[in-house]
Amino acid sequence: MNRVYLDNAATTPLSEEVVDAMVEVMKISYGNPSSTHSFGQEAKALIEGVRRNIADSLKVQPAEIVFTSCGTESNNLIIKSCVEHLGVERIITSPLEHKCVAESVRDMKARKGVEVVYIRPNHQGDLSLDDIEKALQSSDKKTLVTLMHANNEVGNIYDIKAIGELCKKYNAYFHSDTVQTIGHLDLDFSKMNIDFASCSAHKFHGPKGNGFAYIRKSTKLKGMISGGGQERDMRSGTENVVGIVGLGKAFDLCIQNLEIYKNKIQEIKDYTIHQLIDKIKGVKFNGRSSEAENSLFTLVNVLLPFKDPLIGFKLDMKGIAISQGSACSSGAAKPSTVMLMLLTDEEMENCTPLRVSFSHYTTKEEIDKLVEALVSIQQDFK
């Protein structure tokens, strides 16, 4: 059976060039980057080269890039350290955030008594800048705003430049979970009032277990892991040199091919939407995922006109890997917080949400196989 992978928002396959770069490091650069001898300094040079390349692309200082294990660690570090070390007493966020952000915020509320203000989305998953400004105006407490750049389930892209300007106006810190956009969009942090951001390499064909946090130097944020003082005392522990090189190679490939990949994936996304509309009567799309503007080109969130909680399993049996929501937690399929916020009770009762996410490896033939399988499954409900 030729298997089809359409869950790239959860993770992406490693690029062959990334694998080659990592294997080369495993063979010859095995020194500890904290060691002062030549073996260690060679490893250290590899890390610093990746750091400089990422910083140059994002238009920030190299010292503001801190390597971590993933976006989850980066988000935990930023949110919890803002409370622990910067005296944040209030967090403005939304119910649409990734679970690692949502749980970190809840943890700070429970353990530190932080006030939490939620910006409620409309039925399309949009957040109102007016609502954000009203929330910022309503208190003089030291505030952190944590709002993602793009939603990992419905693909809505939020105006983090405008949000950053509001945060600057009201003297609030601004953190954005950029896991779904770094490596896919051309980002210039020097033009945004953004204090903190996060990245996971495996979202753009890099290795799992590697990511970074962008931490604006002027914030003076402190690390949460004590030890040997690696990563400028922001994240102690021996660095994963192999993984960092893999992250760097994947990042470089995506930035170098940004427009090529974007155009190819957007074509696949458009083809998917058209095929679904043509073959499945009554199909709808959640959030702004079917739109060309203000939406990630890497995914579309489909609302199928029949209820089938086992659809992910059925598609998997047909060799098609797909998601019914976020892959931020394991277990049986159940409605995500995002879907509960955006869908009506009637839609929750009678329809099935499905996230289809693409990479530059995705083909139209794979989309045809998906649509054919969905048509076959729909026949069981007629």
Side-chain angles (χ1 to χ4, degrees), residues 329-349:
S329 60
S330 60
K334 58 183 179 180
S336 70
T337 302
V338 174
M339 290 297 102
L340 289 171
M341 290 294 303
L342 301 189
L343 299 182
T344 65
D345 291 342
E346 182 180 355
E347 288 171 331
M348 291 297 300
E349 184 67 26

Side-chain angles (χ1 to χ4, degrees), residues 82-271:
C82 277
V83 175
E84 296 275 1
H85 298 130
L86 299 185
V88 163
E89 303 172 279
R90 185 169 181 260
I91 297 176
I92 297 173
T93 186
S94 99
L96 304 180
E97 296 299 306
H98 188 278
K99 192 169 185 177
C100 66
V101 169
E103 290 298 324
S104 294
V105 170
R106 290 191 194 103
D107 185 40
M108 291 297 94
K109 180 181 180 180
R111 293 198 298 112
K112 298 296 181 179
V114 172
E115 178 187 351
V116 181
V117 178
Y118 289 97
I119 307 299
R120 299 287 169 177
N122 63 17
H123 71 284
Q124 286 188 302
D126 295 327
L127 301 176
S128 165
L129 289 174
D130 287 342
D131 288 348
I132 296 170
E133 182 162 23
K134 287 175 184 175
L136 285 164
Q137 286 175 329
S138 66
S139 176
D140 292 329
K141 290 181 179 179
K142 186 171 284 191
T143 298
L144 169 69
V145 175
T146 176
L147 294 169
M148 59 183 15
H149 190 191
N151 186 269
N152 55 303
E153 291 191 47
V154 294
N156 289 31
I157 296 177
Y158 303 106
D159 190 349
I160 58 173
K161 184 176 181 180
I163 295 170
E165 289 170 355
L166 287 175
C167 290
K168 183 176 182 180
K169 180 179 178 181
Y170 293 98
N171 199 30
Y173 294 114
F174 180 37
H175 162 241
S176 186
D177 177 348
T178 51
V179 165
Q180 291 291 335
T181 53
I182 283 183
H184 297 295
L185 301 181
D186 185 13
L187 301 181
D188 183 346
F189 285 171
S190 71
K191 294 180 179 178
M192 306 174 188
N193 185 60
I194 186 167
D195 298 299
F196 314 106
S198 50
C199 165
S200 276
H202 71 102
K203 303 296 186 179
F204 50 87
H205 308 286
K208 297 173 186 65
N210 287 92
F212 66 81
Y214 162 66
I215 299 173
R216 189 189 293 273
K217 194 174 180 180
S218 61
T219 63
K220 302 188 185 304
L221 194 78
K222 295 182 180 180
M224 300 290 286
I225 301 176
S226 301
Q230 288 89 347
E231 292 302 295
R232 293 166 174 82
D233 218 21
M234 284 301 302
R235 203 254 189 184
S236 289
T238 302
E239 296 94 337
N240 180 353
V241 182
V242 173
I244 290 170
V245 168
L247 183 160
K249 184 65 175 180
F251 183 85
D252 288 347
L253 287 169
C254 284
I255 297 304
Q256 291 164 11
N257 296 285
L258 206 62
E259 288 304 312
I260 295 172
Y261 289 170
K262 179 180 179 180
N263 291 338
K264 181 176 181 180
I265 299 170
Q266 184 67 58
E267 183 180 353
I268 291 291
K269 176 177 175 175
D270 292 342
Y271 181 77

Side-chain angles (χ1 to χ4, degrees), residues 2-6 264 268 271-272 275 319-320 361-373:
N2 291 324
R3 297 193 298 169
V4 174
Y5 186 76
L6 294 170
K264 181 176 181 180
I268 291 291
Y271 181 77
T272 303
Q275 290 298 106
I320 302 170
Y361 296 121
T362 307
T363 66
K364 290 182 179 179
E365 289 74 20
E366 290 175 327
I367 300 304
D368 290 340
K369 185 173 181 179
L370 167 67
V371 174
E372 180 183 343

